Amino acid sequence: MPFYSPLNPTLFFPSKPFFKLTKTLTFSTLQSTNMSASQDSMNATSQNTPINLQNYPIPLSPPLNPLSKEMEQARAMSASSRSSLFALSKSDVLYQDQWLIAVNKPQGVYCETVLDSVPQVLDYLVESSGLDEGPVARPELHLANRLDRDTSGVMVITKLHKVASKLVKAFTDHKVRKTYIALCIGSAPKWEKITIKSGHGRSKFGAFRVYAASDVGRSLPGGSTVKDMETSFEVLSINGQGSFREPSEFNSDKNILVVEEKAVIDTDAKKDEILVRAFPRSGRTHQIRLHCQYLGISIRGDVKYEGVCEWKRRTYDGHELHAESLSLEHPVTGQPLMFRAPLPVWATQMV
């Protein structure tokens, strides 16, 4: 006997006879069913056609490579496993007085690991000086600046709370000048010097991305906003051809790139080894790495931002970025200071 369904007004001929009606359909049941079907339809539509209700700005740098997440996790685990064995040596100390100490952080070590090892090296410095200073209060150590795990170079650590607060203000007010050295892989740039200005923020997936300069101030998923980001670059050598120059004041009035659209990168073009010096004008997370990626010269080993991890039959376990120098006024005496960290081997081989 044919069966008529009010949900689907067509005749249905069951293969077996119906002996029992298991559920009585009421108006409320039909209404609930129809609403559920409507909701499912809306969900399917939202999955297939994203609706940007908040009108969030669109990031201009590529999303993270899924494989980079696995490699980053492996590198993080490796660094964590070595943390208990790490110790600063006397040769790592670039400067120290009663208020602060500057050290040369190695690649592949977390800032917190370096901070934990400072008391030991301070004790060694006192013992090796041969001076009997009697009981000395333990310093109130604070990180004045932070470097990514795989970034080497100058780290400043304060010994007193009041000194730490002064240095934090100096960094916030952009009164600290920094230079970095990076070894990049990509097509040799046509510029010798360039300044790039863009936006910076976290995308809806939590990754840091480059945004248009005109998007600065706009809201992002999670409640943050797009911040301004500015970096100047100068080329030091290409494929080992060039000369190393001492860091000097960078004139950013010429050759300025204001980011407003996605970069067009020729992925099939010849790849070169490019040694650059970077002058960050702002202090955004992963700033130099992001701007190198946008310029098409990602840092070697920086898998997070499209850098090659294999190059000329060698595998690289971290990105090649070095905090070369840091200049500031002493937070107590007011005297000008400049800390310089020796160049790593990968940098000296390129000049």
Side-chain angles (χ1 to χ4, degrees), residues 145-165:
N145 68 313
R146 305 183 70 90
L147 299 176
D148 295 333
R149 180 195 63 232
D150 291 333
T151 301
S152 58
V154 179
M155 261 186 61
V156 179
I157 298 162
T158 60
K159 299 180 181 180
L160 293 170
H161 291 310
K162 63 179 181 180
V163 177
S165 62

Side-chain angles (χ1 to χ4, degrees), residues 38 115 179 273 303 312:
S38 176
L115 183 67
T179 66
E273 296 174 335
V303 294
K312 295 184 176 179

Side-chain angles (χ1 to χ4, degrees), residues 118-165:
V118 168
Q120 181 181 350
V121 76
L122 288 177
D123 290 342
Y124 174 78
L125 291 173
V126 171
E127 292 173 5
S128 62
S129 68
L131 299 176
D132 184 8
E133 300 183 357
V136 179
R138 301 304 293 179
E140 305 159 343
L141 300 177
H142 297 271
L143 293 170
N145 68 313
R146 305 183 70 90
L147 299 176
D148 295 333
R149 180 195 63 232
D150 291 333
T151 301
S152 58
V154 179
M155 261 186 61
V156 179
I157 298 162
T158 60
K159 299 180 181 180
L160 293 170
H161 291 310
K162 63 179 181 180
V163 177
S165 62

Side-chain angles (χ1 to χ4, degrees), residues 32-43:
S32 175
T33 304
N34 287 333
M35 289 179 64
S36 176
S38 176
Q39 185 64 42
D40 290 342
S41 177
M42 289 177 64
N43 290 340

Side-chain angles (χ1 to χ4, degrees), residues 156-176:
V156 179
I157 298 162
T158 60
K159 299 180 181 180
L160 293 170
H161 291 310
K162 63 179 181 180
V163 177
S165 62
K166 288 183 179 181
L167 271 189
V168 167
K169 188 175 188 306
F171 276 95
T172 304
D173 295 343
H174 304 294
K175 293 182 178 180
V176 179

Side-chain angles (χ1 to χ4, degrees), residues 42-285:
M42 289 177 64
N43 290 340
T45 302
S46 63
Q47 291 176 3
N48 296 329
T49 308
I51 301 175
N52 191 1
L53 297 178
Q54 296 294 327
N55 193 27
Y56 292 128
I58 299 173
L60 301 182
S61 56
L64 299 185
N65 186 327
L67 293 178
S68 70
K69 184 176 181 180
E70 298 178 10
M71 298 186 69
E72 281 292 307
Q73 288 177 341
R75 291 177 178 181
M77 291 179 63
S78 177
S80 298
S81 65
R82 297 193 306 266
S83 61
S84 60
L85 305 174
F86 176 79
L88 283 169
S89 66
K90 184 179 178 180
S91 61
D92 293 324
V93 178
L94 305 173
Y95 173 90
Q96 80 124 354
D97 59 25
Q98 65 191 91
W99 298 288
L100 52 83
I101 178 172
V103 301
N104 181 20
K105 184 186 94 65
Q107 184 190 51
V109 179
Y110 286 106
C111 290
E112 291 76 11
T113 303
V114 174
L115 183 67
D116 291 340
S117 68
V118 168
Q120 181 181 350
V121 76
L122 288 177
D123 290 342
Y124 174 78
L125 291 173
V126 171
E127 292 173 5
S128 62
S129 68
L131 299 176
D132 184 8
E133 300 183 357
V136 179
R138 301 304 293 179
E140 305 159 343
L141 300 177
H142 297 271
L143 293 170
N145 68 313
R146 305 183 70 90
L147 299 176
D148 295 333
R149 180 195 63 232
D150 291 333
T151 301
S152 58
V154 179
M155 261 186 61
V156 179
I157 298 162
T158 60
K159 299 180 181 180
L160 293 170
H161 291 310
K162 63 179 181 180
V163 177
S165 62
K166 288 183 179 181
L167 271 189
V168 167
K169 188 175 188 306
F171 276 95
T172 304
D173 295 343
H174 304 294
K175 293 182 178 180
V176 179
R177 181 174 176 271
K178 298 172 286 184
T179 66
Y180 288 74
I181 300 293
L183 180 53
C184 306
I185 304 297
S187 298
K190 296 179 175 58
W191 45 264
E192 291 185 7
K193 293 184 177 183
I194 194 171
T195 294
I196 175 172
K197 298 180 179 182
S198 74
H200 170 277
R202 285 185 183 271
S203 68
K204 64 180 179 180
F205 300 110
F208 290 106
R209 308 279 289 277
V210 172
Y211 288 83
S214 58
D215 285 332
V216 171
R218 293 181 62 187
S219 297
L220 290 169
S224 62
T225 58
V226 178
K227 303 292 195 304
D228 65 298
M229 180 166 65
E230 179 179 342
T231 314
S232 297
F233 292 94
E234 66 174 350
V235 175
L236 298 177
S237 74
I238 298 175
N239 297 326
Q241 301 299 311
S243 60
F244 186 82
R245 299 183 293 276
E246 294 296 315
S248 58
E249 191 63 34
F250 189 96
N251 182 4
S252 60
D253 294 337
K254 299 179 180 179
N255 201 15
I256 298 176
L257 172 61
V258 179
V259 173
E260 290 297 342
E261 56 187 22
K262 292 184 178 181
V264 179
I265 307 298
D266 185 0
T267 57
D268 297 325
K270 175 180 175 291
K271 299 294 188 293
D272 300 292
E273 296 174 335
I274 308 147
L275 190 70
V276 300
R277 175 178 283 126
F279 303 79
R281 310 295 182 182
S282 48
R284 308 304 176 200
T285 303

